[in-house]
Amino acid sequence: ASTLAEGAAQHGRYFGVAIAANRLNDSVYANIANREFNSVTAENEMKIDATEPQPGQFNFYQADQIFNWARQRGKQVRGHTLAWHSQQPQWMQNLSGQALRQAMINHIQGVMAHYRGQIPIWDVVNEAFEDGNSGRRRDSNLQRTGDDWIEVAFRTARQADPSAKLCYNDYNIENWNAAKTQAVYNMVRDFKARGVPIDCVGFQSHFNSGNPYPSNFRTTLQQFAALGVDVEITELDIEGAPPQTYANVIRDCLAVPRCTGITVWGVRDSDSWRSYQNPLLFDGNGNKKQAYYAVLDAL
Ligand code: XIL
């Protein structure tokens, strides 16, 4: 294979990238993104604050820039994200209780209606669990509306676009022995048992000294897949971009039939939300790094 997308496609997987709308007129950036990847996630443009800046007033200007750029080039779009404690518009941060619950429902319906039938995978709920050893839900305004907010989000999403695959997405759930991983696993098992519509789990996979790549990542992917959901690596970046670690992540996904694709969280190191870690596959000049070749080799 001569590109990441081609390599992944040989295994029936996609290879995606997070895109920022305001970088698309940078030709080096856009050329790499177009050449190497066949799936696109909006880095910020489909989040709640971007798509519903005022209550009930939706704005898809930037989201559509990314959506159209991707679709015109034959790429799939991953929707990210509909219900999250972070990057909420001020008006939503000010809500609580039943009003917030209804705002969440309206938001999911509004965004999914705009893209109905056109975005095949959505991160419906993002980062709902606490870090550390508690295994508890994260405290947030959404959580304080009641424990059932996550299943309500999923049921709302299924109704809004029955053709979309619905994912739960989180970070630091790659290590099978972590309390947070077990807590998410138990939620997914419960959802499957009770018929709450969930189709996939996204493992963000932001690896660094605080959350190192765990050698049991493949076990985690296998265990979740065994619950009857697809698994995806949704926001991959690795501090320092060690080639071997990147290759291991690729091999872990390829070893699990229900691991359907991998997305890296940015194009060049200079585009990364953690640019100081140089965590991506291309350097600031757009040159392929050792990690790039290790990934291509592993595909
Ligand atoms: C990050 C973006 O990369 C940044 O540009 C933004 O300032 C904050 O959000 N988990 C997620 C992503 O689900 O949406 C986050 O993206 C990174 C962590």
Side-chain angles (χ1 to χ4, degrees), residues 43-44 47 80 84 87 126-127 204 206 235 265 273:
E43 188 174 357
N44 289 296
K47 292 174 180 174
H80 175 79
W84 190 22
Q87 292 182 268
N126 200 30
E127 302 180 348
Q204 292 185 10
H206 297 294
E235 304 183 12
W265 205 241
W273 71 314

Side-chain angles (χ1 to χ4, degrees), residues 38-55:
N38 58 0
S39 173
V40 163
T41 306
E43 188 174 357
N44 289 296
E45 292 80 350
M46 291 190 188
K47 292 174 180 174
I48 314 174
D49 55 355
T51 51
E52 196 178 356
Q54 300 298 328

Side-chain angles (χ1 to χ4, degrees), residues 148-183:
D148 61 342
W149 72 276
I150 299 181
E151 58 193 87
V152 168
F154 276 92
R155 291 189 201 281
T156 303
R158 178 67 94 226
Q159 269 208 319
D161 186 350
S163 69
K165 276 177 41 174
L166 308 179
C167 295
Y168 176 80
N169 191 53
D170 212 334
Y171 66 91
N172 293 17
I173 58 167
E174 297 83 16
N175 189 325
W176 180 241
N177 297 323
K180 190 172 173 182
T181 306
Q182 292 299 314

Side-chain angles (χ1 to χ4, degrees), residues 97-114:
Q98 189 48 42
L100 174 60
R101 178 66 68 89
Q102 193 57 50
M104 176 191 84
I105 292 170
N106 294 346
H107 181 76
I108 294 170
Q109 290 174 337
V111 175
M112 289 188 90
H114 182 73

Side-chain angles (χ1 to χ4, degrees), residues 4-17 36-41 75-79 120-123 165 167 169 200-203 230-235 250 253-254 258-264 299:
L4 302 173
E6 221 179 272
Q10 290 174 351
H11 302 273
R13 269 65 166 198
Y14 67 81
F15 211 111
V17 64
E36 296 289 341
F37 303 98
N38 58 0
S39 173
V40 163
T41 306
K75 304 177 196 310
Q76 167 201 288
V77 176
R78 279 194 95 258
I121 313 173
W122 270 105
D123 290 332
K165 276 177 41 174
C167 295
N169 191 53
C200 38
V201 174
F203 297 81
D230 286 345
V231 291
E232 306 180 32
I233 295 166
T234 51
E235 304 183 12
I250 305 310
C253 180
L254 296 182
R258 289 199 82 147
C259 183
T260 55
I262 299 164
T263 297
V264 289
L299 286 168

